Each structure stands twice: as structure tokens, then as C-alpha cells.
Amino acid sequence: MLYQRSSALFDEAYKHIPGGVNSPVRAFKSVGGVPIFMKSAKGAYMTDADDNVYIDYINSWGPAILGHTHPEVLEAIKKQAEKGFSYGTPSELETEIAKLIVENVPNIDQIRMVSSGTEACMSAIRLARGFTGRDKFIKFEGCYHGHSDSFLIKAGSGAATFGNPNSPGVTAGTAKDTLLARYNDIEQVKDLFRHNQGEIAAIIVEPVAGNMGCVLPENNFLQNLRKLCDENGALLIFDEVMTGFRLGFGGAQEVYNVKADLVTYGKVIGGGLPVGAFAGRNEIMNHLAPKGAVYQAGTLSGNPLAMRAGLTTLELIRKDGNFYKNINKTTETLDFEIGKILNSKNIEHRINRKGSMMSIFFHINAVSNFEEAANANHSLFNNFFHQLLANGIYLPPSGYETWFISDAIKEKEIDRTLEVIRKFEYS
Ligand SMILES: *Cc1c(COP(=O)(O)O)cnc(C)c1O
């Protein structure tokens, strides 16, 4: 494939945009090479600036769960655009989407819209702190909750120590209130509660992690977190920015039958437009301004175009009684068939999968936390990524990311993908 125009566009972007991109993972730093500039996307496919066509396994990092540019969503956005892009006042659409969500997702009474997953998680933590009157919270290594200061924290040395800033610009003062534990390690969480009694406002967790590659909760991890929160008067926050409306309409709460106190959303909820949200029971959500004292706001929150895109996407999912069955089946087929091919090539690997999320770790052992994900053979992944890319298969450009399967990926796309993987050679 030729990438002449893409390369020229990147050179030009590089002069005016830091690193040439508006979000770091797009820069291909992990896999090497020059990022490819897309110019259009429809169904299962994206077309780049040089007219190369790709089967897309990222789907905008999740939002395009119906496939790109679904005709009914497109029509709904067009119609709404005629009526205005943004009012800065309440509109009926906001209630419509809120109603659809709270009536069909377990355990939430109210939902507040924002414009990104970052905002949703940042606001959920503030609300948890305001509600409990406590400052500290626990997060897990390898889980991502957006780029607000208190989440950009890495583990210090020793299990039960304070976190350290993971980016310049995050202060030590902020870092001291974020406690780190290993994903799937309930003993570390117990330790943290023991050493910080009465100080922990919340645990925030990706109920299925997608930001260290796909990593599943094991040994009743989520149930045990629920129990520890109850015993210690802390709130359990499920970050369902990836899993919400993807694992099922009710997200991980429904699939694992564990109730969270607060839930954050993003990605699918906006159907491709910028939307995030956080939700919970009345007793907690009532603490939010203007009803309560915990402040949170947004000029474009509940934006009518974005609400229309999200609402139409969610309605289409709900109307199709087999939606999740179908995308889960597609993902299972990919898992089994890719596994067979890699086995036939004697390539050591593990495929982690839940619902329509999956990733391949080139690792001899199971991967159930960040350290294990980091120990996978990432140079082999990078090789795999580039060979597939050169043959029109677009995977997430990092071994620490998850594939998001869309409803537009059908037998034809699966067959083509497997055909390319059959020719894969580790070089
Ligand atoms: C993507 C993501 C976020 C951040 O969402 P943005 O819309 O990128 O700000 C937060 N949490 C999880 C689990 C995510 O996957």
C-alpha cells in the first residue's frame, strides 16, 4: 500500500499540532511507523487519505458499535442539525435519553450528561468524595479513567504506599490521595483499607479492563470489591466507559450481577459524538448541583446533536433483540479461528475476550493484571499489527488496547481477516 498523502498530512499536522495528533495513542508511538490519516468510514470499513481501505477493529475506540455512519443515525443527526446545534438550555431530548437509560440499566435512578469519559470519571470521584466526606480513593494499575490529574498516578514502591504522579504537571499533593492496587488482587485492596481506615471515599474500577489490553475480573473480584466497599462505607464506581452498552445494555453491572454505587459512561453512549455520563441512585445523585452542593457543569453537556446520535444508537441496539448475541458470536468466532491459526504456527499467545471486547497477548501465560500484560511480547504484537495493517486490517495500534467488534463485521470481513492472519510470519 502507498501512504504518500497520509505521510504528507502527518508532516503538516506535526507542525501545528503537538506530535501531529489530538490524542497520543493515534500517533503509533507504541507500534512504530507513521499514523494513517482517514478520510471516511462506513459500516465495517475505513478509507484513508490514499484511498486504501481497512476493516476496522477499533471502531473509534468503541463508539461505532453499529459500524460506522449507520444510515439511521446519520439521518437522525441531519434532522436534528436543521433544528439547531446547541441551545444552552434544557431540551426534551436530554430527558428522553436519560429515561431510556435509567429504565433499562439496573440500579441507577438518575444520570448526568457530560462530553467525555474523562469528565464523567473526574466528576464521579468528586461526587463520591462530596457524598462520603472522604478524600482518598483506590484505582488499579493498568486501568484508565481519563486524563484528569488524580487518575494519572502510578504505584509507588511497596504494596500499600501512596501513588506517584505519572505525568509532569500532576502534583504530589494530588497523588497522595490516589491509592494503587493490582487488578484482580483483592488482598492489596484489603491492605489499603486497613492502612487508610475511614479515609477512602471510593474504589474506581474498569469491571472488564480494556486499557491494558482486555483483562477480565477473576475469582469474584468485582463481588469482593462490592463487599469491601460495604464493610468500609466506601462507594464502588464502575467505569463503564468501555463496557457500558457494549457487554450488554446494562453493561457490566448486568453481566456480572454486581451493583455499583456510581457508574460512568462514554464511547457507545454518544454513538460517535462526544458524550460521557455518570449515574447512580437518588441518594447519591441528589448531592449534585443545582440540587446539592457538589459542583459540576458543562456548556455543551446534553448537546442536542450528541444526544440525538446517542439516543438513536441506543434505540437501534434495543430494537434488535439479537444485537449482543450477534456481536458476541462474531467476537467468539474471531477468537477461536485466530487461536487455531496462531497455534498452527506455534506462536505462543493468549486471547482475552468478554462480549465484543478482545485482545491478543503474545504471552505463554494467562494475563490478569498490568504486569502480566506488560510482560507479553510487544515487539511480536507490533509486527502482527503492521502486517495486518499492510493488508487492510486495522487493529488498535498498541498491545495494551482492546479490539472493539462492531455489528457491521460479518462473515465476509471475518474471512478476509483470517486469510490475512494465515499469511502472518514473525520477522
Ligand atoms: C476511554 C476511556 C475513558 C476516557 O474517556 P474519554 O472520552 O477519552 O475522555 C475513561 N475510562 C475508560 C474505561 C475508557 O476506556
Side-chain angles (χ1 to χ4, degrees):
M1 284 193 200
L2 289 172
Y3 305 108
Q4 256 165 327
R5 180 139 175 80
S6 241
S7 303
L9 288 173
F10 184 59
D11 289 343
E12 191 62 17
Y14 206 86
K15 293 181 206 157
H16 309 295
I17 301 171
V21 293
N22 280 311
S23 196
V25 71
R26 298 178 197 167
F28 279 20
K29 252 184 114 168
S30 174
V31 289
V34 175
I36 293 170
F37 280 52
M38 296 298 165
K39 66 175 182 188
S40 67
K42 184 142 188 59
Y45 298 90
M46 289 200 291
T47 304
D48 74 13
D50 295 275
D51 288 320
N52 302 306
V53 176
Y54 306 84
I55 300 172
D56 186 11
Y57 284 102
I58 316 181
N59 286 292
S60 183
W61 303 92
I65 195 169
L66 302 171
H68 290 282
T69 329
H70 189 284
E72 286 182 52
V73 181
L74 175 63
E75 200 46 43
I77 294 174
K78 280 185 182 166
K79 270 201 189 136
Q80 177 56 45
E82 304 257 340
K83 299 184 202 166
F85 313 148
S86 178
Y87 311 131
T89 70
S91 77
E92 193 179 343
L93 268 175
E94 295 163 76
T95 313
E96 245 186 277
I97 190 169
K99 192 163 180 257
L100 176 74
I101 293 171
V102 298
E103 285 181 353
N104 292 289
V105 172
N107 197 41
I108 58 174
D109 300 323
Q110 294 183 49
I111 184 163
R112 169 64 60 85
M113 292 291 165
V114 293
S115 300
S116 68
T118 294
E119 269 183 274
C121 295
M122 169 187 102
S123 307
I125 287 290
R126 182 181 307 139
L127 181 54
R129 285 169 162 164
F131 179 78
T132 58
R134 300 173 177 181
D135 290 347
K136 294 178 183 174
F137 72 90
I138 298 173
K139 83 172 280 285
F140 297 93
E141 284 169 86
C143 283
Y144 179 69
H145 307 292
H147 64 91
S148 96
D149 286 9
S150 60
F151 297 123
L152 296 183
I153 308 294
K154 61 185 175 203
S157 50
T161 61
F162 300 128
N164 293 324
N166 203 9
S167 160
V170 176
T171 65
T174 295
K176 77 173 179 25
D177 288 328
T178 304
L179 309 171
L180 269 292
R182 199 182 294 132
Y183 199 80
N184 278 322
D185 189 337
I186 203 71
E187 291 307 318
Q188 283 200 347
V189 182
K190 284 184 189 164
D191 263 2
L192 288 172
F193 274 117
R194 216 172 287 136
H195 288 96
N196 297 275
Q197 266 179 27
E199 294 184 273
I200 296 174
I203 296 176
I204 187 167
V205 64
E206 288 183 65
V208 172
N211 286 289
M212 46 179 139
C214 182
V215 172
L216 276 57
E218 292 171 2
N219 305 318
N220 292 321
F221 184 53
L222 302 174
Q223 287 83 352
N224 289 328
L225 292 179
R226 175 70 272 170
K227 198 161 151 262
L228 283 175
C229 282
D230 289 341
E231 288 167 5
N232 291 281
L235 300 187
L236 180 61
I237 306 174
F238 272 8
D239 179 351
E240 300 228 39
V241 171
M242 276 182 180
T243 53
F245 312 105
R246 176 165 288 280
L247 297 187
F249 202 86
Q253 284 198 102
E254 177 184 281
V255 171
Y256 288 97
N257 194 24
V258 175
K259 290 180 175 175
D261 299 299
L262 285 170
V263 188
T264 61
Y265 296 105
K267 302 195 165 105
V268 173
I269 197 174
L273 268 73
V275 181
F278 58 108
R281 293 190 304 279
N282 289 327
E283 58 163 328
I284 303 170
M285 296 303 282
N286 283 342
H287 281 71
L288 212 54
K291 204 170 191 179
V294 177
Y295 194 70
Q296 188 277 326
T299 301
L300 292 175
S301 294
N303 171 270
L305 275 184
M307 293 300 101
R308 184 51 87 192
L311 183 59
T312 311
T313 300
L314 297 182
E315 280 171 340
L316 283 165
I317 291 172
R318 276 203 65 76
K319 252 198 286 180
D320 176 353
N322 291 319
F323 186 81
Y324 293 107
K325 202 176 128 215
N326 290 341
I327 51 172
N328 293 358
K329 180 77 198 154
T330 303
T331 315
E332 183 185 296
T333 304
L334 283 164
D335 172 349
F336 288 178
E337 297 301 324
I338 293 171
K340 269 194 236 162
I341 296 169
L342 293 176
N343 283 337
S344 75
K345 295 176 183 290
N346 294 317
I347 296 175
E348 302 275 18
H349 70 281
R350 293 290 178 134
I351 299 179
N352 284 0
R353 166 173 60 89
K354 185 75 187 174
S356 54
M357 296 165 66
M358 67 175 258
S359 40
I360 302 177
F361 293 101
F362 294 103
H363 200 306
I364 44 171
N365 297 317
V367 174
S368 58
N369 60 43
F370 180 71
E371 205 181 327
E372 289 163 0
N375 285 333
N377 185 343
H378 287 273
S379 76
L380 176 43
F381 176 85
N382 297 347
N383 209 296
F384 187 72
F385 168 85
H386 277 294
Q387 283 188 41
L388 267 63
L389 186 72
N391 288 285
I393 311 291
Y394 204 99
L395 301 183
S398 159
Y400 294 98
E401 302 288 354
T402 295
W403 308 19
F404 297 102
I405 308 308
S406 86
D407 190 45
I409 293 174
K410 305 289 186 200
E411 215 172 291
K412 179 178 153 210
E413 288 75 28
I414 297 176
D415 287 348
R416 172 64 193 154
T417 304
L418 298 177
E419 188 186 318
V420 170
I421 295 176
R422 268 183 214 108
K423 293 191 196 123
F424 172 66
E425 279 173 44
Y426 186 25
S427 55

mmCIF file with all atom_site columns, all heavy atoms in Angstrom, residues 267-286:
data_model
loop_
_atom_site.group_PDB
_atom_site.id
_atom_site.type_symbol
_atom_site.label_atom_id
_atom_site.label_alt_id
_atom_site.label_comp_id
_atom_site.label_asym_id
_atom_site.label_entity_id
_atom_site.label_seq_id
_atom_site.pdbx_PDB_ins_code
_atom_site.Cartn_x
_atom_site.Cartn_y
_atom_site.Cartn_z
_atom_site.occupancy
_atom_site.B_iso_or_equiv
_atom_site.pdbx_formal_charge
_atom_site.auth_seq_id
_atom_site.auth_comp_id
_atom_site.auth_asym_id
_atom_site.auth_atom_id
_atom_site.pdbx_PDB_model_num
ATOM 1   N N   . LYS A 1 267 ? -17.958 6.758  25.195 1.00 0.00 ? 267 LYS A N   1
ATOM 2   C CA  . LYS A 1 267 ? -17.872 5.919  23.984 1.00 0.00 ? 267 LYS A CA  1
ATOM 3   C C   . LYS A 1 267 ? -19.245 5.566  23.402 1.00 0.00 ? 267 LYS A C   1
ATOM 4   O O   . LYS A 1 267 ? -19.867 6.434  22.795 1.00 0.00 ? 267 LYS A O   1
ATOM 5   C CB  . LYS A 1 267 ? -16.982 4.710  24.277 1.00 0.00 ? 267 LYS A CB  1
ATOM 6   C CG  . LYS A 1 267 ? -15.586 5.201  24.733 1.00 0.00 ? 267 LYS A CG  1
ATOM 7   C CD  . LYS A 1 267 ? -14.461 4.207  24.752 1.00 0.00 ? 267 LYS A CD  1
ATOM 8   C CE  . LYS A 1 267 ? -13.129 4.913  24.853 1.00 0.00 ? 267 LYS A CE  1
ATOM 9   N NZ  . LYS A 1 267 ? -12.473 4.865  26.137 1.00 0.00 ? 267 LYS A NZ  1
ATOM 10  N N   . VAL A 1 268 ? -19.768 4.350  23.550 1.00 0.00 ? 268 VAL A N   1
ATOM 11  C CA  . VAL A 1 268 ? -21.015 3.958  22.861 1.00 0.00 ? 268 VAL A CA  1
ATOM 12  C C   . VAL A 1 268 ? -22.160 4.937  23.135 1.00 0.00 ? 268 VAL A C   1
ATOM 13  O O   . VAL A 1 268 ? -22.983 5.208  22.255 1.00 0.00 ? 268 VAL A O   1
ATOM 14  C CB  . VAL A 1 268 ? -21.451 2.528  23.270 1.00 0.00 ? 268 VAL A CB  1
ATOM 15  C CG1 . VAL A 1 268 ? -22.839 2.200  22.696 1.00 0.00 ? 268 VAL A CG1 1
ATOM 16  C CG2 . VAL A 1 268 ? -20.438 1.498  22.801 1.00 0.00 ? 268 VAL A CG2 1
ATOM 17  N N   . ILE A 1 269 ? -22.212 5.505  24.320 1.00 0.00 ? 269 ILE A N   1
ATOM 18  C CA  . ILE A 1 269 ? -23.364 6.330  24.721 1.00 0.00 ? 269 ILE A CA  1
ATOM 19  C C   . ILE A 1 269 ? -23.590 7.517  23.775 1.00 0.00 ? 269 ILE A C   1
ATOM 20  O O   . ILE A 1 269 ? -24.715 8.008  23.659 1.00 0.00 ? 269 ILE A O   1
ATOM 21  C CB  . ILE A 1 269 ? -23.222 6.801  26.193 1.00 0.00 ? 269 ILE A CB  1
ATOM 22  C CG1 . ILE A 1 269 ? -24.576 7.280  26.753 1.00 0.00 ? 269 ILE A CG1 1
ATOM 23  C CG2 . ILE A 1 269 ? -22.171 7.871  26.337 1.00 0.00 ? 269 ILE A CG2 1
ATOM 24  C CD1 . ILE A 1 269 ? -24.549 7.632  28.222 1.00 0.00 ? 269 ILE A CD1 1
ATOM 25  N N   . GLY A 1 270 ? -22.546 7.961  23.085 1.00 0.00 ? 270 GLY A N   1
ATOM 26  C CA  . GLY A 1 270 ? -22.693 9.097  22.168 1.00 0.00 ? 270 GLY A CA  1
ATOM 27  C C   . GLY A 1 270 ? -22.802 8.691  20.707 1.00 0.00 ? 270 GLY A C   1
ATOM 28  O O   . GLY A 1 270 ? -22.920 9.558  19.837 1.00 0.00 ? 270 GLY A O   1
ATOM 29  N N   . GLY A 1 271 ? -22.728 7.399  20.432 1.00 0.00 ? 271 GLY A N   1
ATOM 30  C CA  . GLY A 1 271 ? -22.868 6.925  19.057 1.00 0.00 ? 271 GLY A CA  1
ATOM 31  C C   . GLY A 1 271 ? -21.877 7.567  18.093 1.00 0.00 ? 271 GLY A C   1
ATOM 32  O O   . GLY A 1 271 ? -22.127 7.639  16.897 1.00 0.00 ? 271 GLY A O   1
ATOM 33  N N   . GLY A 1 272 ? -20.744 8.047  18.589 1.00 0.00 ? 272 GLY A N   1
ATOM 34  C CA  . GLY A 1 272 ? -19.727 8.648  17.717 1.00 0.00 ? 272 GLY A CA  1
ATOM 35  C C   . GLY A 1 272 ? -19.598 10.151 17.932 1.00 0.00 ? 272 GLY A C   1
ATOM 36  O O   . GLY A 1 272 ? -18.659 10.779 17.454 1.00 0.00 ? 272 GLY A O   1
ATOM 37  N N   . LEU A 1 273 ? -20.542 10.749 18.635 1.00 0.00 ? 273 LEU A N   1
ATOM 38  C CA  . LEU A 1 273 ? -20.385 12.161 19.005 1.00 0.00 ? 273 LEU A CA  1
ATOM 39  C C   . LEU A 1 273 ? -19.893 12.230 20.453 1.00 0.00 ? 273 LEU A C   1
ATOM 40  O O   . LEU A 1 273 ? -20.016 11.262 21.198 1.00 0.00 ? 273 LEU A O   1
ATOM 41  C CB  . LEU A 1 273 ? -21.706 12.925 18.802 1.00 0.00 ? 273 LEU A CB  1
ATOM 42  C CG  . LEU A 1 273 ? -21.764 13.541 17.390 1.00 0.00 ? 273 LEU A CG  1
ATOM 43  C CD1 . LEU A 1 273 ? -21.985 12.486 16.338 1.00 0.00 ? 273 LEU A CD1 1
ATOM 44  C CD2 . LEU A 1 273 ? -22.798 14.628 17.291 1.00 0.00 ? 273 LEU A CD2 1
ATOM 45  N N   . PRO A 1 274 ? -19.313 13.379 20.847 1.00 0.00 ? 274 PRO A N   1
ATOM 46  C CA  . PRO A 1 274 ? -18.655 13.426 22.170 1.00 0.00 ? 274 PRO A CA  1
ATOM 47  C C   . PRO A 1 274 ? -19.671 13.457 23.320 1.00 0.00 ? 274 PRO A C   1
ATOM 48  O O   . PRO A 1 274 ? -20.272 14.482 23.580 1.00 0.00 ? 274 PRO A O   1
ATOM 49  C CB  . PRO A 1 274 ? -17.862 14.743 22.133 1.00 0.00 ? 274 PRO A CB  1
ATOM 50  C CG  . PRO A 1 274 ? -17.927 15.244 20.739 1.00 0.00 ? 274 PRO A CG  1
ATOM 51  C CD  . PRO A 1 274 ? -19.114 14.620 20.091 1.00 0.00 ? 274 PRO A CD  1
ATOM 52  N N   . VAL A 1 275 ? -19.823 12.326 23.989 1.00 0.00 ? 275 VAL A N   1
ATOM 53  C CA  . VAL A 1 275 ? -20.722 12.231 25.139 1.00 0.00 ? 275 VAL A CA  1
ATOM 54  C C   . VAL A 1 275 ? -20.082 11.368 26.219 1.00 0.00 ? 275 VAL A C   1
ATOM 55  O O   . VAL A 1 275 ? -19.456 10.359 25.928 1.00 0.00 ? 275 VAL A O   1
ATOM 56  C CB  . VAL A 1 275 ? -22.083 11.604 24.753 1.00 0.00 ? 275 VAL A CB  1
ATOM 57  C CG1 . VAL A 1 275 ? -23.011 11.533 25.973 1.00 0.00 ? 275 VAL A CG1 1
ATOM 58  C CG2 . VAL A 1 275 ? -22.768 12.386 23.634 1.00 0.00 ? 275 VAL A CG2 1
ATOM 59  N N   . GLY A 1 276 ? -20.244 11.787 27.451 1.00 0.00 ? 276 GLY A N   1
ATOM 60  C CA  . GLY A 1 276 ? -19.956 10.954 28.602 1.00 0.00 ? 276 GLY A CA  1
ATOM 61  C C   . GLY A 1 276 ? -21.114 11.127 29.556 1.00 0.00 ? 276 GLY A C   1
ATOM 62  O O   . GLY A 1 276 ? -21.993 11.972 29.337 1.00 0.00 ? 276 GLY A O   1
ATOM 63  N N   . ALA A 1 277 ? -21.148 10.333 30.612 1.00 0.00 ? 277 ALA A N   1
ATOM 64  C CA  . ALA A 1 277 ? -22.231 10.477 31.588 1.00 0.00 ? 277 ALA A CA  1
ATOM 65  C C   . ALA A 1 277 ? -21.839 9.767  32.870 1.00 0.00 ? 277 ALA A C   1
ATOM 66  O O   . ALA A 1 277 ? -20.971 8.892  32.858 1.00 0.00 ? 277 ALA A O   1
ATOM 67  C CB  . ALA A 1 277 ? -23.528 9.882  31.043 1.00 0.00 ? 277 ALA A CB  1
ATOM 68  N N   . PHE A 1 278 ? -22.454 10.166 33.977 1.00 0.00 ? 278 PHE A N   1
ATOM 69  C CA  . PHE A 1 278 ? -22.326 9.374  35.200 1.00 0.00 ? 278 PHE A CA  1
ATOM 70  C C   . PHE A 1 278 ? -23.686 9.276  35.860 1.00 0.00 ? 278 PHE A C   1
ATOM 71  O O   . PHE A 1 278 ? -24.530 10.164 35.712 1.00 0.00 ? 278 PHE A O   1
ATOM 72  C CB  . PHE A 1 278 ? -21.240 9.916  36.125 1.00 0.00 ? 278 PHE A CB  1
ATOM 73  C CG  . PHE A 1 278 ? -21.406 11.343 36.569 1.00 0.00 ? 278 PHE A CG  1
ATOM 74  C CD1 . PHE A 1 278 ? -21.765 11.643 37.878 1.00 0.00 ? 278 PHE A CD1 1
ATOM 75  C CD2 . PHE A 1 278 ? -21.173 12.400 35.689 1.00 0.00 ? 278 PHE A CD2 1
ATOM 76  C CE1 . PHE A 1 278 ? -21.896 12.959 38.303 1.00 0.00 ? 278 PHE A CE1 1
ATOM 77  C CE2 . PHE A 1 278 ? -21.314 13.721 36.098 1.00 0.00 ? 278 PHE A CE2 1
ATOM 78  C CZ  . PHE A 1 278 ? -21.674 14.004 37.415 1.00 0.00 ? 278 PHE A CZ  1
ATOM 79  N N   . ALA A 1 279 ? -23.885 8.154  36.532 1.00 0.00 ? 279 ALA A N   1
ATOM 80  C CA  . ALA A 1 279 ? -25.226 7.826  37.008 1.00 0.00 ? 279 ALA A CA  1
ATOM 81  C C   . ALA A 1 279 ? -25.140 7.101  38.337 1.00 0.00 ? 279 ALA A C   1
ATOM 82  O O   . ALA A 1 279 ? -24.112 6.525  38.688 1.00 0.00 ? 279 ALA A O   1
ATOM 83  C CB  . ALA A 1 279 ? -25.921 6.944  35.966 1.00 0.00 ? 279 ALA A CB  1
ATOM 84  N N   . GLY A 1 280 ? -26.254 7.136  39.073 1.00 0.00 ? 280 GLY A N   1
ATOM 85  C CA  . GLY A 1 280 ? -26.303 6.429  40.356 1.00 0.00 ? 280 GLY A CA  1
ATOM 86  C C   . GLY A 1 280 ? -27.674 6.523  40.990 1.00 0.00 ? 280 GLY A C   1
ATOM 87  O O   . GLY A 1 280 ? -28.629 7.007  40.361 1.00 0.00 ? 280 GLY A O   1
ATOM 88  N N   . ARG A 1 281 ? -27.736 6.074  42.222 1.00 0.00 ? 281 ARG A N   1
ATOM 89  C CA  . ARG A 1 281 ? -29.015 6.122  42.948 1.00 0.00 ? 281 ARG A CA  1
ATOM 90  C C   . ARG A 1 281 ? -29.340 7.551  43.374 1.00 0.00 ? 281 ARG A C   1
ATOM 91  O O   . ARG A 1 281 ? -28.452 8.385  43.534 1.00 0.00 ? 281 ARG A O   1
ATOM 92  C CB  . ARG A 1 281 ? -28.933 5.250  44.199 1.00 0.00 ? 281 ARG A CB  1
ATOM 93  C CG  . ARG A 1 281 ? -28.798 3.763  43.953 1.00 0.00 ? 281 ARG A CG  1
ATOM 94  C CD  . ARG A 1 281 ? -28.967 2.988  45.256 1.00 0.00 ? 281 ARG A CD  1
ATOM 95  N NE  . ARG A 1 281 ? -28.043 3.411  46.309 1.00 0.00 ? 281 ARG A NE  1
ATOM 96  C CZ  . ARG A 1 281 ? -26.777 3.015  46.399 1.00 0.00 ? 281 ARG A CZ  1
ATOM 97  N NH1 . ARG A 1 281 ? -26.283 2.185  45.499 1.00 0.00 ? 281 ARG A NH1 1
ATOM 98  N NH2 . ARG A 1 281 ? -26.016 3.433  47.388 1.00 0.00 ? 281 ARG A NH2 1
ATOM 99  N N   . ASN A 1 282 ? -30.633 7.801  43.634 1.00 0.00 ? 282 ASN A N   1
ATOM 100 C CA  . ASN A 1 282 ? -31.075 9.135  44.050 1.00 0.00 ? 282 ASN A CA  1
ATOM 101 C C   . ASN A 1 282 ? -30.286 9.685  45.229 1.00 0.00 ? 282 ASN A C   1
ATOM 102 O O   . ASN A 1 282 ? -29.860 10.846 45.212 1.00 0.00 ? 282 ASN A O   1
ATOM 103 C CB  . ASN A 1 282 ? -32.567 9.115  44.420 1.00 0.00 ? 282 ASN A CB  1
ATOM 104 C CG  . ASN A 1 282 ? -33.437 8.955  43.181 1.00 0.00 ? 282 ASN A CG  1
ATOM 105 O OD1 . ASN A 1 282 ? -33.091 9.438  42.102 1.00 0.00 ? 282 ASN A OD1 1
ATOM 106 N ND2 . ASN A 1 282 ? -34.557 8.269  43.335 1.00 0.00 ? 282 ASN A ND2 1
ATOM 107 N N   . GLU A 1 283 ? -30.106 8.879  46.260 1.00 0.00 ? 283 GLU A N   1
ATOM 108 C CA  . GLU A 1 283 ? -29.471 9.387  47.489 1.00 0.00 ? 283 GLU A CA  1
ATOM 109 C C   . GLU A 1 283 ? -28.077 9.961  47.211 1.00 0.00 ? 283 GLU A C   1
ATOM 110 O O   . GLU A 1 283 ? -27.629 10.869 47.914 1.00 0.00 ? 283 GLU A O   1
ATOM 111 C CB  . GLU A 1 283 ? -29.396 8.287  48.568 1.00 0.00 ? 283 GLU A CB  1
ATOM 112 C CG  . GLU A 1 283 ? -28.629 7.077  48.109 1.00 0.00 ? 283 GLU A CG  1
ATOM 113 C CD  . GLU A 1 283 ? -28.174 6.154  49.247 1.00 0.00 ? 283 GLU A CD  1
ATOM 114 O OE1 . GLU A 1 283 ? -27.894 6.635  50.362 1.00 0.00 ? 283 GLU A OE1 1
ATOM 115 O OE2 . GLU A 1 283 ? -28.062 4.942  48.990 1.00 0.00 ? 283 GLU A OE2 1
ATOM 116 N N   . ILE A 1 284 ? -27.410 9.442  46.184 1.00 0.00 ? 284 ILE A N   1
ATOM 117 C CA  . ILE A 1 284 ? -26.077 9.962  45.843 1.00 0.00 ? 284 ILE A CA  1
ATOM 118 C C   . ILE A 1 284 ? -26.199 11.106 44.831 1.00 0.00 ? 284 ILE A C   1
ATOM 119 O O   . ILE A 1 284 ? -25.629 12.184 45.018 1.00 0.00 ? 284 ILE A O   1
ATOM 120 C CB  . ILE A 1 284 ? -25.174 8.839  45.282 1.00 0.00 ? 284 ILE A CB  1
ATOM 121 C CG1 . ILE A 1 284 ? -25.057 7.697  46.298 1.00 0.00 ? 284 ILE A CG1 1
ATOM 122 C CG2 . ILE A 1 284 ? -23.795 9.383  44.925 1.00 0.00 ? 284 ILE A CG2 1
ATOM 123 C CD1 . ILE A 1 284 ? -24.396 6.449  45.751 1.00 0.00 ? 284 ILE A CD1 1
ATOM 124 N N   . MET A 1 285 ? -26.950 10.878 43.765 1.00 0.00 ? 285 MET A N   1
ATOM 125 C CA  . MET A 1 285 ? -27.050 11.881 42.687 1.00 0.00 ? 285 MET A CA  1
ATOM 126 C C   . MET A 1 285 ? -27.688 13.185 43.174 1.00 0.00 ? 285 MET A C   1
ATOM 127 O O   . MET A 1 285 ? -27.431 14.254 42.607 1.00 0.00 ? 285 MET A O   1
ATOM 128 C CB  . MET A 1 285 ? -27.832 11.311 41.493 1.00 0.00 ? 285 MET A CB  1
ATOM 129 C CG  . MET A 1 285 ? -27.169 10.128 40.799 1.00 0.00 ? 285 MET A CG  1
ATOM 130 S SD  . MET A 1 285 ? -25.495 10.444 40.169 1.00 0.00 ? 285 MET A SD  1
ATOM 131 C CE  . MET A 1 285 ? -25.828 11.355 38.658 1.00 0.00 ? 285 MET A CE  1
ATOM 132 N N   . ASN A 1 286 ? -28.504 13.117 44.206 1.00 0.00 ? 286 ASN A N   1
ATOM 133 C CA  . ASN A 1 286 ? -29.127 14.332 44.746 1.00 0.00 ? 286 ASN A CA  1
ATOM 134 C C   . ASN A 1 286 ? -28.117 15.307 45.361 1.00 0.00 ? 286 ASN A C   1
ATOM 135 O O   . ASN A 1 286 ? -28.453 16.450 45.641 1.00 0.00 ? 286 ASN A O   1
ATOM 136 C CB  . ASN A 1 286 ? -30.180 13.969 45.798 1.00 0.00 ? 286 ASN A CB  1
ATOM 137 C CG  . ASN A 1 286 ? -31.459 13.462 45.151 1.00 0.00 ? 286 ASN A CG  1
ATOM 138 O OD1 . ASN A 1 286 ? -31.684 13.684 43.955 1.00 0.00 ? 286 ASN A OD1 1
ATOM 139 N ND2 . ASN A 1 286 ? -32.294 12.776 45.911 1.00 0.00 ? 286 ASN A ND2 1
#
